Amino acid sequence: MPDEPSAVIAAGDFNGDGIADLVEAALPEGEDSGPRSLTVWLGNANGGFVPASSRVPIGQDPRALVVGDFNGDGKPDVIVGDGDGALLEFFGDGKGNLIPAGKIATLGSVVSIAVGHFTHGGGLDLVVSDVESNTASIFLNAGDGSFQQTWSFQLPQRGAEFHIATADFDRDGVADLVITSEDNGNYEVMLGNGNGTFTYSPKLSHLRDPNSYCPT
């Protein structure tokens, strides 16, 4: 039998009580096929979790999930990426419920999503890796939770699944990217330019063959 897809989980305080909660994209309990659901598990003071009342249906193959305040209302929101390429957004109401806010975009096949401030203003932005097109796409946030795809670049190897994380490696106040896969020990760092584009940094990257990759 094929392995059951792993649940996709992230943390956030979805009801504002100061205790960490979880959001999970998985099959509804008792089902072994069909669309997944997005469920918030509310944390309590003794370390346990109870499911919130609402469960939101999503796609068949959720691959990545991120939490952040994307619309600037002080409450955590959720963005889910599916294997069919759909990038879906859900706004939190501060009570543990998630409200569908629409589809941000449709890509080839989402593998990884990371968030950060890619410009000197506005809200949290997104970078999404897409195995089908072998690209990473940048989505800039208008500040209200609406996104526009503004730039993309090629990933190191077609057919491999690449994961992306963000951090401010050069301490300039703009998020940078690190790109890696499970297939080798390589990682590539791209420094943010402050306008939603990035520049490859050979000095901060680790490649077995330094001539094998130069993103543009």
Side-chain angles (χ1 to χ4, degrees), residues 115-169:
V115 303
H117 292 285
F118 300 153
T119 68
H120 292 285
L124 282 172
D125 306 308
L126 305 175
V127 57
V128 183
S129 64
D130 178 354
V131 65
E132 187 170 301
S133 66
N134 193 46
T135 60
S137 296
I138 304 299
F139 293 85
L140 296 185
N141 188 345
D144 59 359
S146 61
F147 291 87
Q148 182 178 2
Q149 184 176 351
T150 58
W151 194 65
S152 64
F153 59 91
Q154 290 292 307
L155 292 168
Q157 180 182 343
R158 184 169 291 278
E161 293 191 350
F162 287 91
H163 297 266
I164 304 179
T166 60
D168 186 5
F169 296 111

Side-chain angles (χ1 to χ4, degrees), residues 160-183:
E161 293 191 350
F162 287 91
H163 297 266
I164 304 179
T166 60
D168 186 5
F169 296 111
D170 56 1
R171 300 183 181 180
D172 64 352
V174 175
D176 310 307
L177 309 179
V178 59
I179 304 161
T180 187
S181 77
E182 298 177 359
D183 296 336

